[in-house]
């Protein structure tokens, strides 16, 4: 089977910059260079990103947020919040990051592509309905999920339910913005594997969604040092069963490589091999559940060598290749025992998650 793979990236994403900030253009450059060096680029069809429309942004964000970002980014370089900077290219880059992921999601759901990889900046998963946060301006994956749903509904009979979209977030930080956007939405399953405790402080397993969305949020708050073994156990015991129960029609991934043992911002201590294994499992789950429809979008990851190899391994997983490249090893990987935590999450999701 020959997969039709789409790649969204653009030099514009490297113009959003602030000297000395960890969320820097070199991240994207390193990833793209490694894709080229490892011969993976020919497998992907490049898609030029286009700016997300205001209508698309407003499916995930409140109007005052969009207006505030537009106003602030029109001025000189500044901080939009404690951690998120802007310069003269930020507005256009943020629009194209959201538009690019949205195009891949729509194309995958329509069957025009099988799978997509979005190497975009600024990242998105901390951006909430009404605020920038944690290096994120617009929530790219959330805009994409809603764009795919809207595109499907255009062709559906009146009153049809939107297609079910699952978002799996394996960035080391909790995807609080994505969780907030979909908390009450039963048509989008949000799953986050992250270090806890860690900034932003949310993502405990009792956060399971609200109202009609109760049970459609799954948080797996892994202890520092948990490492690959915990990720594999969490996948097998919690994440894959949740995906199978939800039966998504499209799978989106918020992919951050900052859970690697060498990342400067966190201590979850995955290896590149563990992260690549997760990407392959996600591809297999997409094959099993939603005709392979899978889009992986870049979030965090602040060691450029880790990010470069991690993205290349993700591209291999999308292309259905078994090879994993891990020149960094496991770093004496942390193996903090997460079994007790997983027991508690499993019991909660089985017994209490649907209770308001
Ligand atoms: Zn992160």
């Amino acid at each position: 089977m020959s997969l039709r793979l789409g790649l969204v990236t653009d030099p514009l994403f490297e113009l959003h910059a602030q000297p000395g900030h960890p969320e820097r253009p070199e991240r994207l450059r390193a990833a793209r260079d490694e894709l080229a060096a490892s011969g993976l680029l020919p497998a992907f069809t490049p898609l030029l990103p286009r700016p997300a429309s205001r209508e698309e942004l407003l499916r995930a964000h409140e109007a005052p947020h969009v207006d505030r970002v537009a106003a602030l980014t029109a001025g000189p370089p500044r901080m939009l919040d404690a951690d998120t900077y802007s310069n003269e290219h930020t507005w256009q880059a943020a629009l194209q990051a959201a538009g690019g992921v949205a195009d891949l999601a729509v194309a995958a759901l329509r069957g025009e592509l099988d799978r997509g990889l979005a190497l975009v900046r600024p990242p998105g998963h901390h951006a909430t309905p009404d605020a920038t946060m944690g290096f994120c301006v617009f929530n790219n994956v959330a805009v994409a999920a809603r764009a795919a749903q809207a595109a499907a509904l255009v062709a559906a009979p009146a009153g049809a339910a939107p297609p079910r979209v699952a978002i799996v977030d394996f960035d080391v930080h909790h995807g609080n913005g994505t969780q907030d956007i979909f908390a009450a939405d039963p048509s989008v399953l949000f799953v986050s594997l992250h270090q806890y405790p860690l900034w932003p402080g949310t993502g405990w397993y009792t956060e399971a969604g609200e109202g009609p969305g109760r049970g459609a949020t799954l948080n797996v708050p892994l202890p520092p040092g948990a490492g690959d073994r915990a990720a594999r156990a969490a996948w097998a015991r919690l994440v894959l069963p949740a995906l199978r129960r939800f039966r998504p029609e499209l799978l989106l991934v918020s992919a951050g490589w900052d859970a690697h043992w060498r990342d400067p911002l966190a201590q979850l201590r995955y290896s590149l091999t563990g992260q690549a294994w997760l990407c392959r499992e996600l591809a297999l789950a997409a094959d099993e559940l939603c005709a392979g429809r899978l889009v992986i979008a870049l979030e965090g990851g602040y060691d450029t060598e880790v990010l470069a190899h991690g993205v290349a391994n993700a591209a291999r997983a999308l292309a259905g290749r078994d090879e994993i490249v891990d020149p960094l090893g496991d770093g004496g990987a942390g193996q903090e025992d997460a079994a007790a935590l997983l027991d508690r999450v499993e019991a909660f999701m089985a017994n209490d998650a649907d209770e308001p």
Side-chain angles (χ1 to χ4, degrees):
M1 172 178 76
S2 176
L3 290 163
R4 294 160 303 162
L5 306 172
L7 172 66
V8 163
T9 192
D10 194 284
L12 171 69
F13 297 132
E14 293 169 33
L15 299 177
H16 166 70
Q18 182 189 67
H21 196 284
E23 205 292 277
R24 59 202 192 280
E26 290 80 2
R27 302 175 58 236
L28 217 55
R29 215 165 292 151
R32 238 193 13 226
D33 288 352
E34 181 61 29
L35 283 183
S38 51
L40 290 158
L41 280 183
F44 287 81
T45 301
L47 271 76
L48 281 182
R50 46 104 202 154
S53 68
R54 182 176 175 86
E55 182 186 5
E56 287 178 298
L57 295 177
L58 292 181
R59 294 192 192 111
H61 295 287
E62 294 166 12
H65 170 61
V66 178
D67 295 339
R68 176 177 176 272
V69 172
L72 290 180
T73 55
R78 69 170 80 216
M79 297 305 291
L80 302 174
D81 58 61
D83 302 306
T84 312
Y85 63 83
S86 74
N87 69 1
E88 65 269 35
H89 302 289
T90 298
W91 174 249
Q92 204 60 27
L95 290 181
Q96 294 206 18
V101 183
D103 277 355
L104 287 174
V106 170
L109 190 62
R110 282 181 175 158
E112 296 162 3
L113 281 174
D114 295 302
R115 293 173 180 168
L117 177 62
L119 298 181
V120 298
R121 293 178 61 248
H125 71 150
H126 297 306
T128 68
D130 63 353
T132 62
M133 188 171 163
F135 321 160
C136 300
V137 177
F138 297 127
N139 196 310
N140 307 321
V141 161
V143 170
R146 288 254 160 93
Q149 290 185 318
L153 286 178
V154 165
R164 293 179 303 281
V165 180
I167 300 172
V168 176
D169 185 329
F170 67 77
D171 188 281
V172 77
H173 301 98
H174 178 234
N176 63 294
T178 315
Q179 172 170 297
D180 285 358
I181 290 166
F182 298 112
D185 185 346
S187 71
V188 176
L189 172 69
F190 176 64
V191 179
S192 183
L193 283 171
H194 50 269
Q195 178 178 327
Y196 190 99
L198 184 68
W199 189 93
T202 49
W204 190 236
Y205 64 83
T206 53
E207 296 166 29
E210 296 163 6
R214 189 79 185 164
T217 296
L218 168 60
N219 281 303
V220 187
L222 297 170
D228 293 344
R229 193 177 59 171
R232 288 173 192 254
W235 173 265
R237 290 180 57 181
L238 295 165
V239 181
L240 184 58
L243 291 171
R244 284 179 170 153
R245 280 193 302 273
F246 184 74
R247 296 180 295 113
E249 292 157 84
L250 172 67
L251 179 54
L252 305 181
V253 178
S254 271
W257 276 272
D258 44 7
H260 190 271
W261 63 266
R262 218 172 75 169
D263 194 274
L265 298 194
Q267 300 80 33
L268 202 46
R269 300 190 71 79
Y270 294 166
S271 68
L272 278 168
T273 300
Q275 291 170 318
W277 179 87
L278 265 180
C279 290
R280 284 171 53 183
E281 289 297 312
L282 285 160
L284 291 173
D287 284 342
E288 175 190 326
L289 298 170
C290 52
R293 294 187 286 260
L294 170 64
V295 175
I296 295 182
L298 178 63
E299 302 283 0
Y302 303 97
D303 180 297
T304 52
E305 192 179 357
V306 167
L307 187 64
H309 289 295
V311 167
N313 283 330
R316 292 183 184 96
L318 288 169
R321 300 187 194 177
D322 288 337
E323 184 191 7
I324 289 175
V325 175
D326 182 356
L328 303 176
D330 70 6
Q335 295 291 344
E336 183 69 27
D337 189 4
L341 181 274
L342 297 180
D343 288 344
R344 290 171 68 186
V345 182
E346 197 170 53
F348 175 82
M349 293 308 292
N351 300 316
D352 305 316
D354 294 335
E355 307 294 325

